[in-house]
Amino acid sequence: MNVTDIQAALDATSELPRGQVKIERLERLAADARAADDRALEGEVLLALIEAQEWGGERDRMPVAFGRLLRIFDDFPDQLGEQADMIHWQLKWMTYNLLSSPTVPLETTYRWLDELQSRYRQRGYSVRPILALRSCLARDLGDHRAASTAMEASISAPRDEMADCDACERYDWGTWRADMGDDAGALEHWAPMIDGERSCAEEPHRVLAKALLPLVRTGRLDDARGAYLRGYPLVRRDGNLRSSVGYHIEFCALTGNEARGLEILAEHASWLTGPHGDISEQLGFLSGAVVLLRRLAALGHGDLPVGGRSVDELLAPLEREIADVCARYDARNGSTVFSERVAARLARDPLLDRLPLGASAVLPRPSAGSVPATPPSAEPSTVPTLDELVAEARRLSAIWHPHADNAWRRVAEAGEPLSEELAAEVAYAEARALVAGDPRPPTRRCSRSPSGSPPWTTRRRRSVPGRVPPWPGSTWETRPAQESSPGRSARTRTTRTPPGSSRRTTT
C-alpha cells in the first residue's frame, strides 16, 4: 500500500467498533506503514493502534506498539515533532493501564514508570502525574508512607499541559485519603465535584459513587441521598464506569435499600458474564454485587432471581471469581494486601437500618423455611395509597430520576379512578417512555470525529494536552465559564472544535 492508501484506510478505521477486528486492521496498517517511507504516518497509525488496544481489552499488548513508537520518535524527531505531546500524553495512560493490570509484572511497571519520568524530564514536563501514579501503585502494595509521600509531592509539583484536569486530580486526592481511612479528608478533596463546582468527562460521576459511604459514615445523610440520586443516572449502564455502579449497589445494600440494589444489579446482569474489559473496573462492580448478595442471603432472600439465577446460585461463583482476581494481584504484588482490602469491603456491615431514597421497591417476605441469618429490623408492610404513589412519581419526575416512568406506571395500575390532571400526567409519562424506549444515559465522551481526529477525551480522566497542535480545520476558543460559584472568579475553559463535530465544553 502507498501512503495515500494507508491514510485512507486509517481514516476508515475510525468508523469501526471497538474490538478485535479494529485491532487486527490497525496491526496490518502498522506493518504497511512501517514499510512505507513516512514515519509521521507510521506514528499516527501506532497511536491509533494503541488506543484500539486500550479500548479493545488488549492493554497488555500496548507496550509492544509503544516501544516501536518511541523508537521512531527518537530516531526521527523531525517527522514526529507535531505528535510529541500526544505521544507523551498517551504514554502516561499506557503506564497507568500497566499499574492497574495484575498480569504485568512489577518490574515491568517500574521500568515504564522510570521511562515515563525520564522522558517527561527531558522534555521539561512536570513530574506531577508520574508522582500520582507512583502513589497509586504504592497504595496497591500497602505502602501507605510511600503513597502519601508521593501524593503530597505530586500535589506540590507544578501543573502543566500533561497534568490531569482539576476534577480528576481531586478524585485521586480524595481516593488517596479514603484509602488511608480519612473520610473527612477525602470528602474535603471531593467537595468541588459534590457541590457541582467542578466537572469533566467522568466527574462528578466517579466521585459521587465513591463518596456515598464516606458521606453516610460522617453523618451527612442528606448529602449521601443526593449523591445517589444525582450520581446513579450518570453511571448507569456505562461499561467504562462499572466500579462506580458497584459502589451504588453496595451503598443500597448497606443503607436498608436492598430491593433498590437488586433492581440496579438486575439492570446490569449482563456484566456478570461475558467479556469484562478492564479487570479493575470489573472487580469493583463484582465486589459491590457480592456485598448486596451476601446481605440478601443474610435476610433470607437467597431464592430471589438475578439474571437467570438465584441469589444463592450466583453468590458462590462470584466470590470465587473475586478470589481468583485478588490472587493474581497478590501474586504480582508479592503480598496479600490487595486481597485483604477487598475482603474487608465484602465483609462490611450495614450502616443504617434505612435511608429513604424515594425508591418504591420492596423485598418480598422470605420464602418458607428460609431463616434470615440476622433478623431484619421490623418495618410494617403497607400498600401505598394513590396519593403516596402520585407524590412519589412527581418527586422522581422533578429530579429526572431514571425510574420516574415506572412510578407513573404504578399510579396507572393502582386500580383507582384518576382525575383529569392525573390521567394527563400518566399519559405524558407513557408517551415519553414509548418515545425513549429503553433510554440510556447520554454518553459524555467525545468520539473520533468523521475526519479521523484523535478522541482527546475518550479515556478516563483524559483531558486535552495543552500544547498539542490543532489538527487541520480545528479551532481553539478560550472563554470564561458561563457560570461561576459565588465568591469564585470565573474559570477559563479551552474548547477544541474538531471538523465535522459539535463543540463540547467541560469545566
Side-chain angles (χ1 to χ4, degrees):
M1 298 177 71
N2 59 34
V3 170
T4 302
D5 292 338
I6 295 171
Q7 185 66 63
L10 175 61
D11 291 344
T13 62
S14 65
E15 303 302 322
L16 293 176
R18 300 168 184 164
Q20 191 62 35
V21 172
K22 184 171 187 175
I23 292 172
E24 291 176 355
R25 184 79 56 84
L26 286 166
E27 286 174 337
R28 291 195 295 270
L29 284 178
D32 292 335
R34 187 168 185 170
D37 188 23
D38 190 329
R39 299 283 72 82
L41 177 58
E42 184 183 0
E44 188 178 351
V45 173
L46 287 170
L47 280 171
L49 172 59
I50 290 163
E51 180 206 348
Q53 290 172 333
E54 182 180 17
W55 285 101
E58 295 193 5
R59 294 174 182 171
D60 294 350
R61 297 176 59 191
M62 291 168 64
V64 176
F66 232 114
R68 170 62 183 168
L69 179 61
L70 292 177
R71 281 195 297 274
I72 63 174
F73 176 74
D74 292 339
D75 293 341
F76 304 93
D78 292 340
Q79 292 194 44
L80 271 71
E82 290 190 350
Q83 301 178 41
D85 283 341
M86 194 61 206
I87 289 171
H88 288 82
W89 182 258
Q90 291 277 33
L91 179 59
K92 176 180 69 171
W93 289 109
M94 190 273 292
T95 307
Y96 168 79
N97 289 326
L98 298 183
L99 263 65
S100 62
S101 173
T103 63
V104 180
L106 273 183
E107 54 269 25
T108 301
T109 300
Y110 279 124
R111 186 167 66 249
W112 278 102
L113 272 171
D114 292 342
E115 177 77 13
L116 177 66
Q117 186 159 334
S118 173
R119 287 180 176 273
Y120 269 42
R121 282 177 169 160
Q122 288 174 16
R123 294 192 61 82
Y125 298 138
S126 172
V127 295
R128 182 183 180 102
I130 297 104
L131 291 168
L133 292 178
R134 292 189 183 279
S135 175
C136 179
L137 181 58
R139 293 200 302 274
D140 278 351
L141 300 177
D143 191 342
H144 297 325
R145 178 176 297 180
S148 294
T149 299
M151 186 58 79
E152 289 165 358
S154 174
I155 295 171
S156 300
R159 285 184 58 87
D160 64 7
E161 62 271 31
M162 290 295 149
D164 299 335
C165 76
D166 182 62
C168 288
E169 282 195 328
R170 288 178 179 275
Y171 170 84
D172 286 339
W173 301 345
T175 299
W176 158 56
R177 294 315 310 161
D179 287 349
M180 299 297 111
D182 180 11
D183 284 342
L187 292 172
E188 183 177 355
H189 286 307
W190 291 334
M193 285 78 78
I194 294 174
D195 296 340
E197 297 176 6
R198 296 286 192 279
S199 66
C200 70
E202 293 190 351
E203 298 301 345
H205 315 35
R206 295 177 302 145
V207 158
L208 292 175
K210 197 100 171 188
L212 289 167
L213 295 186
L215 287 168
V216 174
R217 287 194 292 259
T218 54
R220 296 171 55 181
L221 303 185
D222 288 342
D223 289 335
R225 181 188 299 107
Y228 161 76
L229 293 174
R230 287 173 53 210
Y232 175 62
L234 297 177
V235 302
R236 176 177 176 243
R237 296 184 180 176
D238 189 333
N240 294 304
L241 294 174
R242 294 181 183 218
S243 63
S244 296
V245 175
Y247 284 123
H248 282 278
I249 293 172
E250 179 183 15
F251 167 74
C252 290
L254 301 181
T255 57
N257 291 281
E258 297 87 357
R260 179 66 185 124
L262 188 58
E263 285 185 332
I264 296 175
L265 181 57
E267 193 173 17
H268 299 85
S270 62
W271 292 359
L272 298 171
T273 58
H276 293 156
D278 189 308
I279 191 170
S280 60
E281 284 290 320
Q282 181 68 7
L283 178 61
F285 170 71
L286 293 182
S287 297
V290 166
V291 171
L292 172 67
L293 295 175
R294 286 184 174 183
R295 178 63 179 154
L296 290 170
L299 294 175
H301 293 291
D303 59 343
L304 288 180
V306 185
R309 287 179 284 180
S310 70
V311 168
D312 286 340
E313 292 170 340
L314 188 58
L315 180 55
L318 290 188
E319 289 177 330
R320 286 195 297 271
E321 183 174 349
I322 290 174
D324 289 344
V325 172
C326 289
R328 293 164 64 187
Y329 276 104
D330 286 348
R332 182 200 73 166
N333 298 342
S335 71
T336 58
V337 169
F338 192 94
S339 59
E340 290 170 359
R341 183 182 301 156
V342 173
R345 177 183 178 184
L346 300 182
R348 283 173 178 162
D349 293 323
L351 298 174
L352 298 170
D353 288 339
R354 177 73 173 173
L355 176 62
L357 298 179
S360 58
V362 294
L363 293 173
R365 292 183 179 276
S367 59
S370 178
V371 180
T374 302
S377 56
E379 291 188 10
S381 177
T382 60
V383 177
T385 66
L386 177 62
D387 288 342
E388 291 172 338
L389 291 173
V390 170
E392 173 68 3
R394 286 173 173 168
R395 189 190 68 79
L396 293 178
S397 297
I399 61 174
W400 294 91
H401 194 281
H403 293 284
D405 293 338
N406 290 337
W408 283 111
R409 190 176 299 113
R410 286 189 288 271
V411 171
E413 295 172 352
E416 297 188 30
L418 303 179
S419 67
E420 185 175 336
E421 178 185 1
L422 274 182
E425 290 182 88
V426 169
Y428 175 77
E430 290 175 345
R432 183 175 57 191
L434 287 173
V435 171
D438 188 13
R440 299 186 178 207
T443 182
R444 288 171 171 79
R445 290 175 183 76
C446 300
S447 60
R448 187 181 288 273
S449 73
S451 64
S453 308
W456 300 99
T457 56
T458 57
R459 180 62 187 143
R460 165 180 189 269
R461 301 185 296 174
R462 184 169 292 166
S463 52
V464 182
R467 298 195 316 198
V468 175
W471 55 85
S474 67
T475 60
W476 284 98
E477 178 182 334
T478 302
R479 60 181 181 179
Q482 295 299 313
E483 298 179 1
S484 58
S485 301
R488 295 181 181 267
S489 59
R491 297 185 300 280
T492 298
R493 299 191 292 191
T494 303
T495 304
R496 176 177 294 217
T497 307
S501 66
S502 60
R503 174 171 300 148
R504 295 170 184 262
T505 60
T506 59
T507 38

